[in-house]
Amino acid sequence: MRTRSLLALAGTVTALTVAAAVPASADGSAVLTTGSAGGTAAAVGDTLTAPLASGTSATLYSSATGTSGVTCTSSQFTAAVTDNPTAPGTASESVTGHTFDSSSCTSNVTGVLGVSSITVDHLPYTATVASDGTLTVSPASGSTIQTTVKLRTLLGTISCVYQAPSLTGKADNSDSSIAFTNQQFTKSSGSSLCFASGYFTAKYAPVTDAGAPVYVN
């Protein structure tokens, strides 16, 4: 079955576009362009999508340096462009979807038999993408970024709810990617089998607009 998140957390997360040691852009180009750096401006209303980068996984581990937690090999985010000014500047997006395919997810947490679903709650989120490649994902005012992870155990299915005030990622023009590294979530509810903190790491690439790679200028 399919799951939604950003964790996106995640999101995962994620409003998302691309770029990274971003080169200086030509005068007059938009912050987000398609096809090439300094290319055609992404239009307000355009939909941006990205799967996990080939050969990578999205992880939610119990510590920033550990390997215990949940791993998924299939995830995708969807975001709509809401503002795309001239570079240098900051573009805005609305993160409308962040999904995880639960059939691709596994857990090595003691007592956990498998992953039933991962759902990103409280969507849509707002994302901003600066010309230096910094991506910030924020919830609506008064809300939180939230992910619900449902795990199968010998005693039945348990729900682990994790929250974060915001997420920070980095875009890279070399492969039209966006990466999140050890973004911390705190457990807001769940059984003792749910780890107290979750650290989210994932790389999405390529970010595309109607099939064309997206660049940050």
Side-chain angles (χ1 to χ4, degrees):
M1 65 186 285
R2 300 205 52 99
T3 60
R4 309 175 196 289
S5 158
L6 8 13
L7 251 137
L9 202 81
T12 300
V13 245
T14 284
L16 298 89
T17 42
V18 206
V22 179
S25 60
D27 290 344
S29 69
V31 174
L32 302 178
T33 58
T34 63
S36 65
T40 302
V44 170
D46 281 5
T47 298
L48 310 182
T49 61
L52 286 176
S54 178
T56 70
S57 300
T59 59
L60 182 64
Y61 287 155
S62 59
S63 71
T65 58
T67 57
S68 176
V70 174
T71 299
C72 299
T73 59
S74 179
S75 175
Q76 178 172 298
F77 76 74
T78 303
V81 178
T82 56
D83 187 30
N84 189 19
T86 301
T90 301
S92 300
E93 304 166 12
S94 175
V95 181
T96 55
H98 192 168
T99 62
F100 292 82
D101 184 350
S102 60
S103 66
S104 78
C105 300
T106 58
S107 176
N108 59 359
V109 176
T110 301
V112 174
L113 304 178
V115 180
S116 294
S117 65
I118 300 176
T119 304
V120 175
D121 308 311
H122 301 169
L123 291 170
Y125 299 137
T126 296
T128 58
V129 187
S131 289
D132 66 359
T134 300
L135 171 72
T136 303
V137 181
S138 305
S141 177
S143 184
T144 61
I145 292 177
Q146 179 173 296
T147 298
T148 300
V149 182
K150 292 188 177 181
L151 304 172
R152 298 191 304 275
T153 74
L154 289 173
L155 300 178
T157 299
I158 62 171
S159 293
C160 307
V161 180
Y162 295 95
Q163 296 180 337
S166 64
L167 301 175
T168 301
K170 190 70 175 178
D172 188 341
N173 278 349
S174 67
D175 56 0
S176 290
S177 68
I178 186 71
F180 297 92
T181 303
N182 286 332
Q183 295 300 289
Q184 185 176 4
F185 286 74
T186 301
K187 184 179 79 171
S188 64
S189 67
S191 82
S192 59
L193 287 178
C194 305
F195 30 94
S197 294
Y199 291 81
F200 177 67
T201 297
K203 179 179 180 179
Y204 291 89
V207 178
T208 60
D209 179 350
V214 177
Y215 296 82
V216 179
N217 301 276

